[in-house]
Amino acid sequence: MKTTLFVTSLLLSVVVNLPAQASVSTSDINSTVAKICQNTADDDRLGLLHTLKEHHISRKAAVTKVVCNGQPLLDFARAEQANKVVKLLEPTERRLRGTVTIQDVTATP
């Protein structure tokens, strides 16, 4: 039991003390953003989701930080009439803005 605890604590200390080796070049970032913009322009919702997942980018980060042709991603999607992508990303945009919709469920139609 003591040996297992010692080995576990030793491994934990080694993992915590290792420096992060995440070096990302500018060309990698540019190609990722280019893929995201291309998927958006093509109205390829599944391709966009795949690209975001592949590069560990959240929808929130994509909506707030990705810029295509000088426009935020969602504005670019609207300009390109990429309706599927707009429909995918609009809930994230609404959450970020804090938009709340209220519906009376007791009202009779």
Side-chain angles (χ1 to χ4, degrees):
M1 180 68 178
K2 288 182 182 182
T3 307
T4 305
L5 182 60
F6 175 73
V7 172
T8 305
S9 63
L10 180 65
L11 287 174
L12 183 61
S13 67
V14 169
V15 170
V16 170
N17 291 326
L18 286 176
Q21 298 295 325
S23 63
V24 179
S25 69
T26 305
S27 63
D28 291 340
I29 293 170
N30 288 339
S31 67
T32 301
V33 171
K35 277 186 193 177
I36 292 170
C37 293
Q38 186 62 47
N39 289 333
T40 302
D42 293 342
D43 200 15
D44 184 5
R45 181 180 59 86
L46 295 175
L48 177 62
L49 285 172
H50 176 72
T51 302
L52 293 176
K53 186 175 181 178
E54 177 184 354
H55 296 285
H56 307 289
I57 300 171
S58 67
R59 291 183 198 180
K60 177 182 175 183
V63 168
T64 58
K65 297 180 181 178
V66 174
V67 176
C68 300
N69 291 345
Q71 299 175 316
L73 182 62
L74 208 47
D75 292 342
F76 177 73
R78 289 182 182 117
E80 292 291 319
Q81 297 178 350
N83 297 326
K84 293 176 190 173
V85 172
V86 169
K87 197 175 210 178
L88 172 73
L89 297 176
E90 272 184 338
T92 305
E93 180 188 46
R94 281 195 300 269
R95 257 185 273 121
L96 292 171
R97 279 192 279 147
T99 303
V100 176
T101 57
I102 299 173
Q103 181 181 1
D104 187 3
V105 295
T106 60
T108 55

